[in-house]
Amino acid sequence: MWASLQRGNRRWAAGASRRPRQDPDRRRQVAAGQSPHAVVLSCIDSRVPPEVVFDAGLGDLLVVRTAAHTVDRLVTAAVQFGPQALHARLVVVLGHQRCGAISAAARALSEQETLPGELPSIVAALEPVYTGAGGEVDAMVRAHIVGTVASLRADALLSGKATTVVGAYYSLDTGLVRRVA
């Protein structure tokens, strides 16, 4: 399945998207039920829609999006749902270049600023990678991908031969996704 996502991403990056399985027939086909091939845990960034980035169709991906692909119990449950209930065998943690949430967290930590509302929970989730990456945003993104993959691989419902968890990095500049974990 990862190879299929890579092929779709190469089409997207080259400007040759097919937009597969996005027609009324496919909509009717998946209306009765879903069986996505993969779960993609990604950022909420509007520039990184996984279905577009991987040139996928309706029902192909179960997408879970949070700021900087941060994980809590509800997000973990959503990711677990793909393999457990829908038999998706691939989980992709997709981080990206110039992540706004990671940039905001780095700035808040650097300037010891408290962000408004619930945003401090994002900052707290990213503080370990901030420390480890010396506050450099791209290094934080990559470290956070690797850490999230490790956490999901250690999850009892996601570990084992039936589910593969990979980490990937999306370049806003090129449109390409590269595996990093």
Side-chain angles (χ1 to χ4, degrees):
M1 185 61 214
W2 174 246
S4 176
L5 292 179
Q6 287 180 302
R7 284 190 301 276
N9 175 248
R10 284 192 298 270
R11 287 192 306 270
W12 156 253
S17 294
R18 294 181 187 158
R19 296 185 184 97
R21 299 169 302 285
Q22 295 181 16
D23 55 31
D25 287 339
R26 178 64 172 174
R27 184 184 67 238
R28 285 187 288 277
Q29 182 184 20
V30 298
Q34 62 176 322
S35 57
H37 305 294
V39 176
V40 179
L41 170 60
S42 68
C43 186
I44 59 174
D45 193 297
S46 64
R47 302 167 294 177
V48 191
E51 298 89 344
V52 174
V53 166
F54 290 116
D55 196 23
L58 292 174
D60 291 343
L61 303 177
L62 179 69
V63 177
V64 181
R65 296 178 78 171
T66 67
H69 67 272
T70 52
V71 177
D72 62 14
R73 291 177 56 208
L74 289 173
V75 172
T76 300
V79 171
Q80 290 170 339
F81 184 76
Q84 290 300 306
L86 303 173
H87 309 291
R89 294 297 167 228
L90 176 66
V91 174
V92 178
V93 176
L94 182 64
H96 67 93
Q97 182 181 30
R98 292 190 292 276
C99 178
I102 289 180
S103 296
R107 189 172 42 259
L109 290 163
S110 171
E111 297 172 10
Q112 298 180 341
E113 172 188 357
T114 301
L115 299 179
E118 296 300 323
L119 296 176
S121 61
I122 298 168
V123 174
L126 296 170
E127 188 169 7
V129 294
Y130 171 83
T131 303
E136 199 276 306
V137 171
D138 198 55
M140 287 176 67
V141 170
R142 292 173 189 276
H144 188 49
I145 294 167
V146 170
T148 303
V149 166
S151 174
L152 293 175
R153 284 180 180 164
D155 183 276
L157 292 180
L158 299 173
S159 62
K161 296 178 185 177
T163 305
T164 301
V165 181
V166 302
Y169 176 89
Y170 176 72
S171 168
L172 293 170
D173 294 335
T174 67
L176 289 170
V177 172
R178 300 280 183 235
R179 187 170 171 173
V180 296

